[in-house]
Amino acid sequence: MTTEPPHGAHGPRPLDRRSPLPLWAQLSADLRRRMEAGAFRAEFPAEHRLTGEYEVSRHTVREALRKLRAEGLVIAERGRASRLDTRRIQQPLGSLYSLFRELEGQGVEQRSEVLRLERTVDGTVAGHLGLVPEAPLVVLERLRLADGEPLAHDTAYLPAEVAEPLLEADFGHTSLYGELTRRCEVKVTGGQERIQPFLPDIRQAWLLGLADREAAFAIERLGQAGERPVEWRETVVRGDRFTFVAEWSGDSRAVALAPRASCPSS
């Protein structure tokens, strides 16, 4: 058995029996919290252990685990103990992040297959970056691999006037933002991002190893250095390996709803 502290980030929290939220839902939420804090890496607790920790019935435990299995967080196979789905990558929302650093920080070996690194012209992308349609761009297209398995198809466009030195970089095992800072002295400090469900085209599905009509996440990002747009990125991420995590409070801003056809403004 694992030896986790009874309290703290890894330990269980008491369930509120006066809450209108069912006990199984509270239990599911607390197990999810413990997972995100790094608990259960060695093994996932058996049902009888959870009934004792939370002082609930086995039926309550099974209903909570059913929810976690449906979300793809826990794997249950006949004849074997339940375990975490360690292939799933967690990504924070509402913060500037580098996929390279996030994967490395979660102990996932990451590398990239560079599909394209060249100068190009794209009037639509130039518009997102606040440039004239014929402005030269640098495009970096990569297949991102996590522990050797396809995770994301990533295409980033940057103004050539600032990103020209990137054409000499080896992006097999390094981050775009890191190279942008080192070679171009440009640091991405913020931006906007839109995430939505997406059906990949034939090429993207083949690259990511997805079945026909299998959904993924599409991410559009406008990265800025101060007030200046310096990156337009289009990423398709496997839905079965990626989880977005958000923190919120009573002071959090409301979500802005936008028409499907809209894009983040440049």
Side-chain angles (χ1 to χ4, degrees):
M1 293 179 62
T2 55
T3 56
E4 295 181 356
H7 303 290
H10 287 195
R13 291 178 179 172
L15 305 183
D16 184 0
R17 284 164 169 75
R18 296 173 297 177
S19 170
L21 194 65
L23 290 177
W24 68 263
Q26 295 183 49
L27 173 55
S28 176
D30 196 55
L31 290 173
R32 192 182 301 107
R33 173 193 63 79
R34 294 170 70 184
M35 292 177 198
E36 293 172 1
F40 314 136
R41 295 299 185 188
E43 65 174 352
F44 192 80
E47 290 182 6
H48 67 83
R49 177 180 164 191
L50 293 175
T51 60
E53 283 185 344
Y54 288 94
E55 300 181 347
V56 294
S57 69
R58 180 159 291 190
H59 172 77
T60 297
V61 169
R62 288 177 176 172
E63 192 65 19
L65 295 182
R66 184 190 64 78
K67 175 66 172 176
L68 296 178
R69 289 194 296 270
E71 294 176 1
L73 299 176
V74 174
I75 298 175
E77 298 174 344
R78 187 177 298 275
R80 298 182 60 181
S82 296
R83 66 186 191 279
L84 297 186
D85 185 356
T86 55
R87 302 186 314 148
R88 186 171 290 267
I89 310 301
Q90 290 191 169
Q91 179 59 60
L93 287 171
S95 62
L96 179 65
Y97 64 87
S98 161
L99 183 59
F100 179 91
R101 289 197 298 268
E102 292 294 330
L103 293 177
E104 297 279 300
Q106 295 180 41
V108 178
E109 179 188 2
Q110 86 89 34
R111 63 182 179 86
S112 297
E113 294 182 7
V114 178
L115 306 177
R116 187 166 46 135
L117 177 58
E118 61 189 18
R119 288 173 62 101
T120 189
V121 174
D122 187 304
T124 301
V125 172
H128 291 311
L129 293 171
L131 305 172
V132 297
E134 62 273 15
L137 307 170
V138 170
V139 59
L140 170 61
E141 180 185 5
R142 293 171 290 175
L143 178 63
R144 316 294 296 273
L145 305 174
D147 285 340
E149 296 186 15
L151 173 65
H153 175 242
D154 189 66
T155 307
Y157 299 86
L158 305 98
E161 62 176 303
V162 299
E164 190 85 27
L166 296 180
L167 295 173
E168 305 300 322
D170 178 4
F171 286 99
H173 189 73
T174 189
S175 70
L176 172 58
Y177 289 171
E179 293 297 322
L180 189 62
T181 300
R182 284 190 293 272
R183 294 174 182 267
C184 309
E185 298 183 350
V186 173
K187 183 177 179 61
V188 175
T189 56
Q192 304 171 43
E193 197 166 69
R194 184 178 72 169
I195 304 167
Q196 64 183 11
F198 177 75
L199 283 177
D201 61 29
I202 294 175
R203 178 173 180 264
Q204 290 167 331
W206 179 77
L207 287 171
L208 293 172
L210 298 175
D212 184 40
R213 308 295 293 175
E214 185 174 353
F217 290 116
I219 306 172
E220 293 178 340
R221 172 187 287 195
L222 180 67
Q224 296 175 279
E227 297 298 319
R228 181 183 183 182
V230 294
E231 171 204 28
W232 175 260
R233 188 184 300 225
E234 300 168 350
T235 305
V236 178
V237 185
R238 287 183 58 139
D240 63 339
R241 296 207 60 195
F242 219 71
T243 298
F244 294 98
V245 180
E247 295 185 0
W248 60 274
S249 69
D251 297 326
S252 300
R253 295 177 61 187
V255 174
L257 300 180
R260 288 177 58 88
S262 69
C263 296
S265 63
S266 58

